[in-house]
Amino acid sequence: MDNVSSVCSSVSPAENDPETCDSSSSTEEDGLVDAFGDLAALPVEVGERRPTCLRCRRPQKVCLCPFLPSQPLEVSTCLYIVQHPAEESRVLRTVPLLAACLPQGKCNVIVGRRFNEEKHPELAAVCRDSKTLILYPGLQSQNLEELVQNQEVGAVKHNVIIIDGTWSQAKNMFLKNSLFHLPKQVQLNRTLSSQYVIRTQPSNICLSTLECAAVALSILERNDDIQEVLLRPLKALCSFQLQHGAQVHHSKEHLLKNGMYDKPMPKNKRKIKRMEKLVTDRNIFPR
């Protein structure tokens, strides 16, 4: 508005008539509208997506199939990956690599936040099956290795539910879906460091979905080679990303303990207490 006023005051009295100014402004605005209208009418160019490998779901130029087993691993355990919708849009996901290593039907991915018997009858049936386990740490969880040691080899063919998402997403999904409280709750008590170094974990003992599945399958199938085979494509993925500019992501626990955490500290007391727990408590469970 200031610019329009200065233009009007600098012209001759005849041209300084308010109606003339309004008319001029209106003409200019109409011109802008027409110009933007012309731009809006232009066809939208959709960028071509890079060809994707049908097996590993990675772009063909960075295909990880050479690091996958030549044949899917024969396992009796059936995995059900309950995936938060936000995971679908992530570029560096581990679940497609997991699925590529297993036979069809042995790694079932179900996307969503809320699940009930009416909308998800198959998942509900799995949750009610006495052979089903849900892998989620907590005070009520049983050590998976101890559970398997008390069973005869091949006596039980388990279903295992794993929640795929950030720790806060997984916690929210577990607490707000009563179906997930039906199966026996188990956890991994092995001391392991995540190989998924291109994504930040809350603590040093937190693992990616693929790593959790690899450890769980090696225990349930009583075959340590399974863990090595499943982790091979993950290590290759991280190695490739690091070679092309990605940085190693230390866990939040590591950053706090070594004075390297450079983000503003939270003001919320619960979050502060949670961060203090990362530094002082080795038994870190999402609650």
Side-chain angles (χ1 to χ4, degrees):
M1 292 297 293
D2 291 340
N3 290 335
V4 173
S5 298
S6 64
V7 170
C8 287
S9 61
S10 64
V11 293
S12 63
E15 293 175 326
N16 200 25
D17 182 71
E19 293 184 3
T20 305
C21 284
D22 290 343
S23 175
S24 176
S25 299
S26 176
T27 302
E28 290 179 4
E29 289 176 2
D30 290 342
L32 288 173
V33 170
D34 291 340
F36 282 117
D38 292 339
L39 288 173
L42 292 175
V44 177
E45 295 184 7
V46 180
E48 293 185 8
R49 298 188 64 179
R50 291 182 293 177
T52 302
C53 173
L54 296 179
R55 187 182 181 195
C56 70
R57 303 295 179 182
R58 295 279 296 156
Q60 289 181 358
K61 288 187 177 181
V62 289
C63 174
L64 294 175
C65 286
F67 303 96
L68 300 178
S70 55
Q71 297 294 328
L73 296 175
E74 289 297 330
V75 294
S76 61
T77 307
C78 192
L79 299 180
Y80 290 85
I81 310 297
V82 183
Q83 188 176 79
H84 190 280
E87 287 296 312
E88 285 189 293
S89 60
R90 293 188 183 276
V91 177
L92 303 174
R93 297 175 294 159
T94 65
V95 170
L97 299 178
L98 173 63
C101 294
L102 300 175
Q104 189 173 1
K106 291 296 184 180
C107 183
N108 306 282
V109 181
I110 307 167
V111 181
R113 290 187 181 88
R114 301 288 180 265
F115 304 90
N116 56 54
E117 296 201 39
E118 183 180 350
K119 293 184 178 180
H120 304 88
E122 293 184 9
L123 178 61
V126 171
C127 290
R128 293 188 179 282
D129 191 330
S130 61
K131 300 187 295 295
T132 299
L133 308 172
I134 184 163
L135 190 61
Y136 188 83
L139 297 177
Q140 305 300 320
S141 294
Q142 183 178 352
N143 180 7
L144 181 59
E145 286 186 282
E146 291 180 359
L147 177 70
V148 173
Q149 286 173 1
N150 297 326
Q151 296 176 346
E152 294 183 17
V153 177
V156 182
K157 295 182 179 179
H158 287 288
N159 304 310
V160 179
I161 297 173
I162 303 177
I163 303 176
D164 182 39
T166 64
W167 278 97
S168 60
Q169 290 167 350
K171 174 184 175 182
N172 186 273
M173 290 171 66
F174 178 78
L175 294 178
K176 295 190 176 181
N177 286 286
S178 58
L179 284 178
F180 298 159
H181 302 163
L182 299 176
K184 181 183 289 292
Q185 191 175 333
V186 296
Q187 65 186 28
L188 306 174
N189 282 17
R190 292 186 179 182
T191 303
L192 300 167
S193 293
S194 177
Q195 303 292 316
Y196 195 25
V197 295
I198 55 176
R199 188 168 172 180
T200 304
Q201 305 289 359
S203 77
N204 296 333
I205 62 173
C206 293
L207 303 176
S208 67
T209 301
L210 185 147
E211 290 170 311
C212 287
V215 177
L217 285 174
S218 68
I219 294 172
L220 290 167
E221 302 290 327
R222 302 175 192 254
N223 183 353
D224 289 338
D225 290 341
I226 290 177
Q227 181 176 333
E228 181 181 346
V229 172
L230 290 178
L231 293 185
R232 195 178 300 149
L234 177 65
K235 292 177 181 178
L237 170 65
C238 293
S239 175
F240 177 84
Q241 293 300 127
L242 293 173
Q243 290 172 16
H244 291 79
Q247 300 294 317
V248 172
H249 286 225
H250 295 291
S251 71
K252 189 179 292 185
E253 176 192 357
H254 176 90
L255 297 175
L256 288 168
K257 284 184 175 180
N258 292 276
M260 300 165 60
Y261 192 78
D262 57 0
K263 295 183 179 179
M265 294 298 288
K267 296 180 180 180
N268 184 290
K269 290 183 179 180
R270 288 178 59 189
K271 291 184 178 180
I272 293 174
K273 188 175 181 180
R274 195 182 309 156
M275 294 183 78
E276 290 174 346
K277 190 177 180 68
L278 286 175
V279 179
T280 60
D281 192 353
R282 291 301 303 162
N283 298 313
I284 303 164
F285 302 134
R287 295 191 179 94

